[in-house]
Amino acid sequence: MQTRQIVSVAVADTNYSFDRVYEYALPVAGVARGAEGTRSAGVTRGAESAQSTDGSRSAECSGTSAYIPPVPGCRVLVPFGMGNRKRIALILSYAEYDKTTNYKEILSVIDTSPAINAEGLKLISRLKETTFCTYFDACKLFLPASFNVKLKTRYRVNEEQFEAIKALLSDEDTAELQAIRKTGKTHDDNVKYLISQKLIFPEEYIDTPKVKTEKIVSLTEKYLTGELKYAFTNDKTRKAVEFLKNSPDITDKELIRLFDISSASLKTLSKRGVVETTAVKAAARRSVDISGVKASKSDKAGMAGKTGVLSTPHKSYFNPLTLNSEQLQAAEGILSLIGSGKPSASLLFGVTGSGKTAVFTDLIVKVINSGKNVILLVPEIALTPQLIKRFTEIFGNAICCLHSGLSVSRRAEELSVIRAGGCKLLIGTRSAIFAPIDNIGLIIIDEEQERTYISEMSPRYDAREVAKIRTVYHNAALVLASATPSVESFYYAKIGRYNLFTLKERYAKAVLPEVNIVDIASDGFYNDSQNLSCTLVSEINDNLTRHEQTILLLNRRGFNTVVTCRSCKQTIMCPHCSVALTYHKSEGKLRCHWCGYTRDEAKVCPSCGSEYLKFIGSGTEKIEEEIAQLFPSARLLRLDADTVSGGNVKNSYDEKFAAFERQDYDILLGTQMIAKGLDFPNVTLIGVISVDGALYAGDYRSYERTFALLTQVAGRGGRGDKPGRAVIQSFNPNHYILRLAAMQNYPEFFAEEIGNRKLLLYPPFCDLCVVEFTGSADEKTAAAASAFAKLLKTAAAVQINSTHEKIPLIVLGPARCIRERIKNKFRYKLVIKCKSNGTFRKILSETYARSFTERVFDRITVIVSMNGDASL
């Protein structure tokens, strides 16, 4: 009997209970067969083509095309389940042939080369095990929207019955099923009826995204050789043509923008035979190097981070910064770890302004010069513009950037450059850790304590943990950096799991800001202000007089945070969530920040009809109004989710931060997005308008987060040659967290915090698993949470009895979440203190799988996350 080639695949659109590896046989060489062993003619390609990993099209892969054997990492089409419904699948590995098994065959091949590389396939399996997601949830992290494919159905008309079909359709000029004249019938019923009457035939096809192209402009051979002479009518056109002699890779749009010529002028040059255009796939190239061309500031800003062609030869780079002794010691220590050829993890701990970025730069330059590549992660999109600007000056076109603010086409362009090996330094937010960059020598995670490195959607991964896995795979070095590292990271550095490098002094002998903790109860608010103390107003006024800049932090957006009725004492709540509506004065709307519900500004109480409403609490919008009243001549920039949402998020950040850096504004007011990583030399005053709410957030990390936020935002001041000051307003000025943050005394804070964590058994002394339950019915959701806890405890007891293995396990709850209803769904949670080893994950995975099959969980959504947000 002939031995068949067997592959293990992950199948799309499966729920967790039956999401596992399935085995299929590859078709006999040269023939793609269907589920019944017949030729697969029922599946065709969108645009009749297969897709390669760079998004290009290749040979047709329908049943009649040349068969290309797929390899691990390729997507294929398979028959799945009892009904052999066609599903997209990803080949994970080859498998052993078992002659006793009756294998189904792969129907057709989608990718002609792997869409996901070998390292990515290993990461997918690891994410499946540790984040309790499905295989294809993990796959989506590696495949951007431009690489997605979908299985769709279209209908072919039976030409012999065309007149009969037209009689059933409301529009006789089309043969599409849009509105069939049969009252009381659904669309699906109508389709089934037409199929049963053999009036139409269903045809499944794989829909792939269209490949975006652009036109490359170049000079013709006749013009270059002098055979063609051309008399230029204007100087702009002549300069554009002269530029083309030395730049053979520029698009028509870039040329038009760069030299301010019209598209009509370019068409004239083409008609006269001076230039010619060639259509190329947009993701196959990057924008041209314009470093030697005089262009406007906006032109250069728009092209920042995109200079140069893909095929730039390797060259050596240089660090323009001079390191002090502390920085040099840290850099040399980390470089020695990199040079060992073994995976390592280090914590770079330094006070704000100590020059951690200078150390990064030195490390990145030397690692890239050694022939290896680097990933640099930041916690916020807002931090990418300054870094891209800094590193573009050193590395030019060797940089790529990835984050959620990029358009689909721009993200595809960056990924294609990375896949082609044209990226030496990748800068991005957490999702960039999955980029297919190879030959990694160094991964840097800046502000590593930030919870934005943990995904809140499936897969609920921690980018720091993924970075560790990639570090081991590449025998690379991982550097976690922060002035306020997470308690876990500093603990691991203390016990030797991480290498610890410390920067105790600010760079260039700059001094730390002088911090003044203002007791609002005694200092009072200034005149009619409801938020700004007399001290803070005075300091802002001094800064304006000296033409120095100010940053003000308030981690709440909107105008008022609560609207209540003075008569019945009721708060105006979101009808879909257990959350008070926030008043946005500029819109005249009340808005829910959780579900997006919006209503007009309330004039009367919706409960009792009273006109006596009270607007309580303040957000950034109200502070903006107060500052405008107190300092009418001050130029104020507000930066929060309301002012940068919509449109091109990246450009919005770029433009606003660039304007503040140019000193177009005197005061920057914003939420936590302005609290970290930014470097503005003329900022000498930091004002924290309210901090008390963060201290009592109901989470065991609330003190850690408050300390980090205050330390980081205070550190934005005095980074140039002028001393900095910070004013922190509080009704509890003697709280030890405020006192330690004012001194930037992280070691003392850590000593206090780690003692509490050990006493109460919180990370790093255990792992914390949170299981969330959401459902439309309150009692049913609570019952599901209780059932899950019982199943988990039973499964653990069975494991202990069968293996006599100790399983550390403490189950707390179930209990209502702090926000007990969101989007009309009631919410409960279990908090499990455990050790996240293979045994626990196996028990939890089996219990989680049962939540998809047992009736008590019907219409209940169960979400499992490890070491994420325990407050919910």
Side-chain angles (χ1 to χ4, degrees):
M1 184 176 179
Q2 183 182 5
T3 301
R4 303 291 302 278
Q5 178 69 68
I6 308 301
V7 290
S8 298
V9 307
V11 180
D13 301 323
T14 58
N15 71 35
Y16 192 83
S17 63
F18 56 90
D19 181 61
R20 58 181 178 83
V21 173
Y22 294 89
E23 293 183 350
Y24 284 83
L26 293 181
V28 176
V31 180
R33 296 186 178 275
E36 312 303 326
T38 59
R39 184 180 295 275
S40 176
V43 180
T44 61
R45 295 288 307 180
E48 277 66 49
S49 59
Q51 180 168 314
S52 63
T53 55
D54 64 356
S56 63
R57 310 279 179 166
S58 60
E60 180 185 349
C61 83
S62 65
T64 59
S65 64
Y67 172 66
I68 302 173
V71 296
C74 288
R75 288 167 296 181
V76 293
L77 200 67
V78 300
F80 187 70
M82 296 292 290
N84 286 324
R85 298 195 61 168
K86 298 177 180 69
R87 296 280 185 92
I88 295 170
L90 176 74
I91 298 180
L92 299 176
S93 64
Y94 294 110
E96 293 292 327
Y97 174 72
D98 181 358
K99 62 182 181 180
T100 64
T101 301
N102 184 22
Y103 294 99
K104 294 181 181 180
E105 284 188 352
I106 285 173
L107 297 175
S108 59
V109 180
I110 297 172
D111 300 306
T112 58
S113 58
I116 300 175
N117 62 22
E119 182 189 8
L121 295 177
K122 288 188 176 182
L123 276 172
I124 287 171
S125 296
R126 182 65 176 171
L127 288 168
K128 159 76 174 172
E129 177 192 353
T130 58
T131 69
F132 308 97
C133 67
T134 64
Y135 281 109
F136 254 77
D137 278 344
C139 287
K140 292 174 185 176
L141 297 171
F142 299 87
L143 297 173
S146 58
F147 283 75
N148 284 346
V149 295
K150 295 180 180 179
L151 185 62
K152 294 185 176 181
T153 301
R154 59 191 174 197
Y155 300 94
R156 182 165 52 86
V157 173
N158 184 343
E159 298 294 341
E160 296 177 358
Q161 301 290 333
F162 189 69
E163 292 302 321
I165 296 172
K166 284 174 63 177
L168 292 174
L169 298 174
S170 60
D171 184 351
E172 294 186 353
D173 295 327
T174 177
E176 293 184 1
L177 297 170
Q178 294 180 0
I180 300 177
R181 296 172 180 167
K182 278 188 174 289
T183 306
K185 290 281 189 178
T186 66
H187 177 76
D188 287 344
D189 289 336
N190 292 323
V191 170
K192 291 176 182 177
Y193 172 76
L194 290 177
I195 293 173
S196 68
Q197 299 299 308
K198 297 184 179 180
L199 299 178
I200 62 172
F201 303 107
E203 187 179 69
E204 289 183 306
Y205 70 100
I206 297 170
D207 182 42
T208 59
K210 294 181 179 179
V211 178
K212 182 181 178 182
T213 61
E214 53 192 4
K215 294 180 180 179
I216 299 296
V217 184
S218 59
L219 297 177
T220 62
E221 187 69 23
K222 286 184 177 182
Y223 184 81
L224 286 171
T225 59
E227 181 180 345
L228 174 68
K229 302 297 182 181
Y230 182 74
F232 294 98
T233 57
N234 63 70
D235 194 49
K236 291 180 179 179
T237 307
R238 182 187 58 78
K239 287 182 178 179
V241 171
E242 286 296 316
F243 177 75
L244 287 174
K245 291 180 179 179
N246 299 313
S247 182
D249 187 27
I250 187 169
T251 68
D252 54 348
K253 292 180 180 178
E254 289 170 342
L255 194 67
I256 289 169
R257 184 175 71 245
L258 191 59
F259 291 94
D260 193 25
I261 62 176
S262 66
S263 58
S265 297
L266 195 57
K267 287 180 181 179
T268 300
L269 290 175
S270 179
K271 288 180 180 179
R272 298 296 175 85
V274 178
V275 301
E276 57 187 358
T277 59
T278 306
V280 299
K281 183 160 57 69
R285 61 173 301 283
R286 309 193 79 192
S287 300
V288 70
D289 189 347
I290 58 168
S291 57
V293 182
K294 290 184 179 180
S296 67
K297 289 182 179 180
S298 61
D299 287 332
K300 291 179 179 179
M303 295 186 183
K306 294 177 59 182
T307 57
V309 296
L310 183 59
S311 56
T312 301
H314 176 74
K315 66 176 184 178
S316 295
Y317 302 95
F318 302 93
N319 183 4
L321 303 174
T322 301
L323 303 187
N324 62 28
S325 58
E326 275 191 335
Q327 292 171 324
L328 193 61
Q329 184 178 1
E332 289 177 347
I334 295 170
L335 285 169
S336 67
L337 294 171
I338 297 172
S340 70
K342 298 178 181 179
S344 64
S346 303
L347 175 63
L348 180 60
F349 166 56
V351 298
T352 56
S354 58
K356 292 182 287 296
T357 305
V359 177
F360 297 168
T361 304
D362 193 68
L363 293 173
I364 292 169
V365 165
K366 290 175 180 175
V367 169
I368 290 177
N369 283 340
S370 72
K372 291 186 176 293
N373 301 320
V374 180
I375 298 176
L376 171 57
L377 298 186
V378 292
E380 303 273 1
I381 297 175
L383 300 181
T384 58
Q386 283 194 341
L387 287 173
I388 290 173
K389 179 182 177 183
R390 177 194 295 264
F391 286 112
T392 297
E393 293 172 356
I394 302 173
F395 300 109
N397 70 317
I399 296 176
C400 284
C401 178
L402 288 176
H403 56 68
S404 60
L406 299 180
S407 65
V408 172
S409 59
R410 175 65 189 278
R411 191 174 180 88
E413 178 185 346
E414 298 293 278
L415 281 168
S416 291
V417 172
I418 293 169
R419 288 176 182 273
C423 173
K424 299 182 184 299
L425 171 61
L426 173 61
I427 299 173
T429 50
R430 66 171 180 248
S431 62
I433 195 61
F434 297 104
I437 187 169
D438 201 9
N439 194 28
I440 299 172
L442 175 66
I443 300 176
I444 299 171
I445 301 183
D446 195 16
E447 307 296 353
E448 67 86 25
Q449 79 285 352
E450 289 298 321
R451 58 180 173 179
T452 51
Y453 285 119
I454 301 176
S455 172
E456 295 180 351
M457 298 179 66
S458 182
R460 290 169 174 78
Y461 65 90
D462 186 333
R464 294 164 294 193
E465 297 303 315
V466 177
K468 292 176 186 178
I469 298 171
R470 298 203 70 178
T471 297
V472 172
Y473 186 88
H474 290 274
N475 287 320
L478 171 63
V479 176
L480 307 172
S482 181
T484 55
S486 66
V487 170
E488 292 90 332
S489 292
F490 201 73
Y491 175 76
Y492 295 146
K494 283 289 189 181
I495 64 174
R497 185 179 297 184
Y498 297 164
N499 300 283
L500 178 61
F501 299 95
T502 305
L503 305 177
K504 298 179 180 179
E505 303 293 333
R506 275 196 152 189
Y507 186 69
K509 298 183 180 179
V511 297
L512 291 169
E514 178 185 340
V515 180
N516 182 7
I517 303 175
V518 175
D519 184 354
I520 299 177
S522 60
D523 192 73
F525 292 119
Y526 182 83
N527 291 348
D528 295 332
S529 172
Q530 298 178 17
N531 297 280
L532 305 178
S533 65
C534 296
T535 300
L536 183 54
V537 169
S538 175
E539 292 286 357
I540 294 173
N541 190 62
D542 289 345
N543 248 33
L544 292 172
T545 303
R546 292 194 294 263
H547 303 289
E548 296 171 359
Q549 290 174 292
T550 301
I551 290 179
L552 300 177
L553 171 72
L554 178 63
N555 207 20
R556 291 193 300 268
R557 55 194 176 98
F559 194 86
N560 295 111
T561 54
V562 178
V563 182
T564 61
C565 176
R566 295 176 184 269
S567 299
C568 68
K569 313 303 181 185
Q570 293 294 311
T571 298
I572 300 181
M573 305 290 289
C574 173
H576 311 297
C577 310
S578 55
V579 176
L581 293 177
T582 299
Y583 174 48
H584 289 255
K585 186 176 182 180
S586 60
E587 303 173 344
K589 303 285 186 181
L590 293 173
R591 185 181 298 277
C592 176
H593 290 170
W594 287 85
C595 73
Y597 169 81
T598 303
R599 55 160 291 175
D600 291 335
E601 177 185 348
K603 301 298 183 182
V604 297
C605 174
S607 298
C608 69
S610 171
E611 297 180 355
Y612 298 101
L613 299 178
K614 184 177 183 180
F615 292 77
I616 304 172
S618 299
T620 50
E621 197 177 342
K622 186 172 184 178
I623 304 301
E624 181 181 33
E625 182 179 276
E626 288 191 10
I627 290 174
Q629 293 171 351
L630 292 170
F631 309 103
S633 62
R635 299 166 299 170
L636 174 65
L637 172 64
R638 177 164 66 92
L639 198 59
D640 55 31
D642 295 324
T643 61
V644 297
S645 60
N648 191 320
V649 175
K650 175 188 178 296
N651 287 344
S652 184
Y653 282 121
D654 288 1
E655 292 166 5
K656 292 178 186 296
F657 282 131
F660 190 70
E661 188 173 20
R662 291 194 305 266
Q663 300 183 32
D664 293 347
Y665 296 95
D666 303 307
I667 301 172
L668 173 61
L669 166 67
T671 52
Q672 64 179 5
M673 65 174 65
I674 67 169
K676 62 187 83 69
L678 300 175
D679 190 352
F680 301 113
N682 196 44
V683 171
T684 56
L685 174 64
I686 304 297
V688 181
I689 294 171
S690 177
V691 71
D692 296 329
L695 278 172
Y696 309 106
D699 182 8
Y700 77 97
R701 296 185 190 272
S702 59
Y703 281 6
E704 178 184 3
R705 289 172 180 160
T706 304
F707 178 88
L709 182 65
L710 294 177
T711 303
Q712 292 286 349
V713 72
R716 298 313 101 201
R719 299 176 76 89
D721 54 2
K722 303 171 186 175
R725 300 108 60 215
V727 175
I728 300 174
Q729 299 184 158
S730 174
F731 285 100
N732 192 5
N734 296 320
H735 198 289
Y736 79 94
I737 292 296
L738 305 187
R739 175 177 55 83
L740 294 176
M743 297 187 295
Q744 291 209 17
N745 190 344
Y746 182 86
E748 187 174 335
F749 160 76
F750 172 79
E752 182 75 25
E753 187 69 10
I754 200 69
N756 292 336
R757 299 275 184 97
K758 188 173 184 178
L759 180 65
L760 299 174
L761 191 59
Y762 280 108
F765 301 103
C766 73
D767 290 296
L768 212 60
C769 175
V770 179
V771 186
E772 181 185 356
F773 306 85
T774 63
S776 301
D778 189 12
E779 292 183 1
K780 185 172 173 55
T781 308
S786 298
F788 191 99
K790 186 176 180 180
L791 288 172
L792 181 67
K793 292 175 183 177
T794 302
V798 170
Q799 180 70 20
I800 292 171
N801 291 334
S802 61
T803 64
H804 304 291
E805 178 183 1
K806 289 185 178 180
I807 303 177
L809 191 68
I810 300 175
V811 180
L812 304 177
R816 291 184 184 274
C817 296
I818 293 176
R819 297 168 187 86
E820 61 186 51
R821 188 168 61 97
I822 298 292
K823 297 181 181 179
N824 287 322
K825 300 288 186 180
F826 292 93
R827 304 165 71 234
Y828 286 80
K829 67 178 178 180
L830 291 173
V831 177
I832 306 166
K833 295 182 178 181
C834 59
K835 183 177 181 181
S836 181
N837 53 22
T839 301
F840 172 75
R841 289 195 295 268
K842 178 176 178 292
I843 293 170
L844 183 58
S845 178
E846 291 173 352
T847 305
Y848 183 40
R850 292 182 67 177
S851 72
F852 289 87
T853 58
E854 303 212 358
R855 291 192 63 181
V856 69
F857 298 101
D858 185 35
R859 301 183 185 278
I860 302 296
T861 301
V862 183
I863 299 171
V864 177
S865 59
M866 291 295 301
N867 295 319
D869 190 350
S871 62
L872 295 177

